[in-house]
Protein backbone atom coordinates (compact mmCIF):
# COMPACT_ATOMS: atom_id res chain seq x y z
CA UNK A 1 0.00 0.00 0.00
CA UNK A 2 1.52 3.32 -1.00
CA UNK A 3 1.53 6.45 1.12
CA UNK A 4 -1.82 8.15 0.74
CA UNK A 5 -0.79 11.77 1.06
CA UNK A 6 2.29 13.88 1.58
CA UNK A 7 0.86 14.80 4.99
CA UNK A 8 0.98 11.17 6.10
CA UNK A 9 4.67 10.91 5.19
CA UNK A 10 5.47 14.19 6.96
CA UNK A 11 3.71 13.25 10.17
CA UNK A 12 5.39 9.88 10.55
CA UNK A 13 8.84 9.87 12.09
CA UNK A 14 11.54 7.24 11.92
CA UNK A 15 14.40 8.90 13.78
CA UNK A 16 14.23 7.33 17.24
CA UNK A 17 16.96 4.79 16.49
CA UNK A 18 14.90 1.59 16.87
CA UNK A 19 11.66 0.37 15.33
CA UNK A 20 10.05 -0.11 18.75
CA UNK A 21 10.90 3.50 19.69
CA UNK A 22 9.64 4.76 16.32
CA UNK A 23 6.33 3.07 17.17
CA UNK A 24 6.22 5.01 20.47
CA UNK A 25 6.66 8.26 18.52
CA UNK A 26 3.33 7.69 16.76
CA UNK A 27 1.50 9.19 19.75
CA UNK A 28 2.98 12.69 19.53
CA UNK A 29 1.79 15.37 19.25
CA UNK A 30 -1.42 13.42 18.70
CA UNK A 31 -2.43 9.91 17.69
CA UNK A 32 -0.80 9.18 14.33
CA UNK A 33 -2.06 5.65 13.85
CA UNK A 34 -5.61 6.80 13.24
CA UNK A 35 -6.35 4.75 10.12
CA UNK A 36 -5.28 1.54 8.46
CA UNK A 37 -3.79 3.59 5.62
CA UNK A 38 -1.50 5.47 8.00
CA UNK A 39 -0.59 2.25 9.81
CA UNK A 40 0.41 0.66 6.50
CA UNK A 41 2.49 3.75 5.65
CA UNK A 42 4.21 3.40 9.03
CA UNK A 43 4.85 -0.32 8.47
CA UNK A 44 6.54 0.40 5.13
CA UNK A 45 8.33 3.54 6.35
CA UNK A 46 9.74 1.74 9.37
CA UNK A 47 11.33 -0.88 7.15
CA UNK A 48 9.33 -3.76 8.59
CA UNK A 49 8.35 -4.64 5.03
CA UNK A 50 9.85 -3.63 1.68
CA UNK A 51 8.18 -0.85 -0.30
CA UNK A 52 5.51 -2.32 -2.54
CA UNK A 53 4.54 -5.11 -0.12
CA UNK A 54 0.85 -5.97 -0.39
CA UNK A 55 -0.84 -4.81 2.81
CA UNK A 56 -4.39 -4.60 1.45
CA UNK A 57 -5.44 -7.30 3.92
CA UNK A 58 -4.67 -5.01 6.89
CA UNK A 59 -7.76 -4.05 8.84
CA UNK A 60 -8.98 -2.31 11.98
CA UNK A 61 -7.79 -5.17 14.20
CA UNK A 62 -4.24 -4.33 13.12
CA UNK A 63 -4.67 -0.82 14.55
CA UNK A 64 -5.77 -2.32 17.86
CA UNK A 65 -2.80 -4.71 17.93
CA UNK A 66 -0.21 -2.05 17.08
CA UNK A 67 -1.61 0.45 19.58
CA UNK A 68 -1.73 -2.17 22.33
CA UNK A 69 1.86 -3.25 21.71
CA UNK A 70 2.92 0.40 21.59
CA UNK A 71 1.38 1.01 25.03
CA UNK A 72 3.07 -2.04 26.52
CA UNK A 73 6.47 -1.13 25.08
CA UNK A 74 6.02 2.42 26.37
CA UNK A 75 5.35 1.08 29.85
CA UNK A 76 8.56 -0.95 29.74
CA UNK A 77 10.74 1.78 28.26
CA UNK A 78 9.50 4.59 30.51
CA UNK A 79 8.24 2.76 33.53
CA UNK A 80 9.51 1.38 36.71
CA UNK A 81 8.42 -2.06 37.81
CA UNK A 82 4.85 -1.95 39.15
CA UNK A 83 1.62 -3.87 38.56
CA UNK A 84 1.27 -2.79 34.94
CA UNK A 85 4.95 -3.42 34.25
CA UNK A 86 4.64 -7.20 34.69
CA UNK A 87 1.58 -7.31 32.42
CA UNK A 88 3.42 -5.26 29.79
CA UNK A 89 6.46 -7.54 30.00
CA UNK A 90 4.32 -10.65 29.59
CA UNK A 91 2.52 -9.14 26.58
CA UNK A 92 5.75 -8.11 24.83
CA UNK A 93 7.37 -11.51 25.49
CA UNK A 94 4.30 -13.37 24.22
CA UNK A 95 4.12 -11.16 21.12
CA UNK A 96 7.83 -11.67 20.41
CA UNK A 97 7.23 -15.41 19.94
CA UNK A 98 5.53 -14.95 16.55
CA UNK A 99 7.70 -15.78 13.56
CA UNK A 100 8.80 -12.68 11.63
CA UNK A 101 7.80 -12.12 8.00
CA UNK A 102 10.02 -14.30 5.80
CA UNK A 103 12.22 -12.26 3.45
CA UNK A 104 13.61 -13.50 0.18
CA UNK A 105 15.94 -12.05 -2.44
CA UNK A 106 14.54 -11.66 -5.96
CA UNK A 107 16.03 -10.25 -9.13
CA UNK A 108 14.87 -6.78 -10.09
CA UNK A 109 14.48 -5.72 -13.72
CA UNK A 110 18.04 -4.35 -13.72
CA UNK A 111 19.44 -7.64 -12.39
CA UNK A 112 20.15 -6.45 -8.86
CA UNK A 113 18.78 -8.37 -5.94
CA UNK A 114 16.00 -6.76 -3.91
CA UNK A 115 14.24 -7.87 -0.76
CA UNK A 116 10.65 -9.03 -0.93
CA UNK A 117 8.55 -11.00 1.47
CA UNK A 118 7.64 -14.60 0.91
CA UNK A 119 3.98 -13.55 0.96
CA UNK A 120 1.73 -10.91 2.51
CA UNK A 121 2.70 -10.59 6.17
CA UNK A 122 0.16 -11.14 8.89
CA UNK A 123 -0.28 -8.78 11.81
CA UNK A 124 1.18 -11.19 14.37
CA UNK A 125 4.41 -11.49 12.37
CA UNK A 126 4.84 -7.72 12.18
CA UNK A 127 4.02 -7.23 15.85
CA UNK A 128 6.45 -10.04 16.68
CA UNK A 129 9.27 -8.25 14.85
CA UNK A 130 8.61 -5.06 16.82
CA UNK A 131 8.33 -6.94 20.12
CA UNK A 132 11.64 -8.72 19.44
CA UNK A 133 13.24 -5.33 18.76
CA UNK A 134 11.95 -4.13 22.14
CA UNK A 135 13.27 -7.26 23.89
CA UNK A 136 16.69 -6.74 22.29
CA UNK A 137 16.73 -3.08 23.31
CA UNK A 138 15.58 -3.65 26.87
CA UNK A 139 17.95 -6.56 27.54
CA UNK A 140 21.07 -4.89 26.09
CA UNK A 141 22.61 -2.82 28.92
CA UNK A 142 24.54 -0.56 26.53
CA UNK A 143 21.50 0.18 24.35
CA UNK A 144 19.22 0.60 27.36
CA UNK A 145 21.65 3.14 28.85
CA UNK A 146 21.38 5.16 25.62
CA UNK A 147 17.59 5.58 25.87
CA UNK A 148 16.69 9.25 26.35
CA UNK A 149 13.51 11.28 26.53
CA UNK A 150 13.40 14.50 24.53
CA UNK A 151 14.11 17.63 26.57
CA UNK A 152 11.76 19.68 24.39
CA UNK A 153 8.76 21.29 26.07
CA UNK A 154 5.91 18.78 26.30
CA UNK A 155 7.67 16.28 24.02
CA UNK A 156 7.45 12.70 25.30
CA UNK A 157 9.39 11.12 22.43
CA UNK A 158 11.95 8.55 23.49
CA UNK A 159 15.00 7.91 21.32
CA UNK A 160 18.31 6.08 21.32
CA UNK A 161 21.19 8.53 21.82
CA UNK A 162 23.98 7.30 19.58
CA UNK A 163 25.61 10.72 19.23
CA UNK A 164 29.29 11.26 19.98
CA UNK A 165 29.64 12.01 23.66
CA UNK A 166 26.01 10.97 24.25
CA UNK A 167 24.92 14.62 24.41
CA UNK A 168 21.82 14.55 22.21
CA UNK A 169 19.07 16.51 23.94
CA UNK A 170 16.15 16.46 21.52
CA UNK A 171 14.22 13.93 19.52
CA UNK A 172 14.91 16.10 16.48
CA UNK A 173 17.25 19.05 16.13
CA UNK A 174 14.96 20.38 13.40
CA UNK A 175 11.80 20.20 15.50
CA UNK A 176 12.32 20.39 19.26
CA UNK A 177 15.89 21.65 19.00
CA UNK A 178 14.82 24.51 16.75
CA UNK A 179 11.94 25.41 19.09
CA UNK A 180 14.40 25.59 22.00
CA UNK A 181 16.83 27.77 20.04
CA UNK A 182 14.02 30.15 19.00
CA UNK A 183 12.74 30.37 22.61
CA UNK A 184 16.27 31.04 23.88
CA UNK A 185 16.72 33.78 21.24
CA UNK A 186 13.42 35.39 22.23
CA UNK A 187 14.39 35.34 25.92
CA UNK A 188 17.72 37.01 25.15
CA UNK A 189 16.02 39.59 22.90
CA UNK A 190 13.47 40.37 25.64
CA UNK A 191 16.25 40.81 28.22
CA UNK A 192 18.16 43.09 25.84
CA UNK A 193 15.07 45.27 25.37
CA UNK A 194 14.46 45.50 29.13
Amino acid sequence: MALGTATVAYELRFDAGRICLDLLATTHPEERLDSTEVLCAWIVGSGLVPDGTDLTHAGPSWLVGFRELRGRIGKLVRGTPDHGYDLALTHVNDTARAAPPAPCAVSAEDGTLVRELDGPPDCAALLGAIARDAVELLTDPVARAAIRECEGDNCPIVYLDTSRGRRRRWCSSEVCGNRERVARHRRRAALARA
Side-chain angles (χ1 to χ4, degrees):
M1 181 174 283
L3 293 178
T5 65
T7 305
V8 169
Y10 176 77
E11 292 174 350
L12 298 175
R13 296 180 56 176
F14 304 100
D15 56 0
R18 296 294 286 253
I19 289 176
C20 63
L21 299 179
D22 286 336
L23 182 61
L24 294 182
T26 61
T27 63
H28 182 73
E30 59 193 26
E31 176 62 62
R32 298 295 183 201
L33 301 182
D34 58 1
S35 72
T36 304
E37 178 187 40
V38 175
L39 174 61
C40 291
W42 185 88
I43 290 168
V44 172
S46 70
L48 278 173
V49 302
D51 196 19
T53 299
D54 179 17
L55 295 173
T56 56
H57 59 291
S61 66
W62 285 41
L63 284 171
V64 172
F66 274 80
R67 288 176 181 167
E68 181 176 12
L69 181 60
R70 178 183 65 193
R72 304 300 175 110
I73 291 171
K75 182 79 168 164
L76 296 176
V77 168
R78 292 186 177 101
T80 54
D82 63 8
H83 173 68
Y85 189 90
D86 289 340
L87 293 173
L89 186 59
T90 298
H91 182 84
V92 169
N93 285 332
D94 289 346
T95 304
R97 289 186 177 99
C104 56
V106 298
S107 292
E109 289 180 19
D110 65 0
T112 61
L113 293 177
V114 295
R115 180 174 69 110
E116 284 188 5
L117 296 184
D118 182 353
D122 66 14
C123 187
L126 297 173
L127 293 173
I130 298 167
R132 271 189 300 289
D133 182 58
V135 168
E136 291 297 321
L137 173 64
L138 296 170
T139 59
D140 178 345
V142 173
R144 180 143 182 131
I147 297 173
R148 304 280 186 273
E149 187 166 342
C150 182
E151 292 180 22
D153 286 341
N154 300 316
C155 182
I157 291 183
V158 178
Y159 59 89
L160 204 60
D161 182 2
T162 57
S163 66
R164 287 180 62 160
R166 305 292 188 252
R167 293 189 199 135
R168 183 174 164 191
R169 296 178 53 204
W170 304 293
C171 62
S172 166
S173 182
E174 294 79 25
V175 180
C176 288
N178 191 51
R179 283 187 197 125
E180 179 64 27
R181 287 186 289 275
V182 168
R184 202 172 24 215
H185 172 73
R186 287 181 179 156
R187 285 190 298 270
R188 282 194 304 263
L191 285 174
R193 285 190 305 266

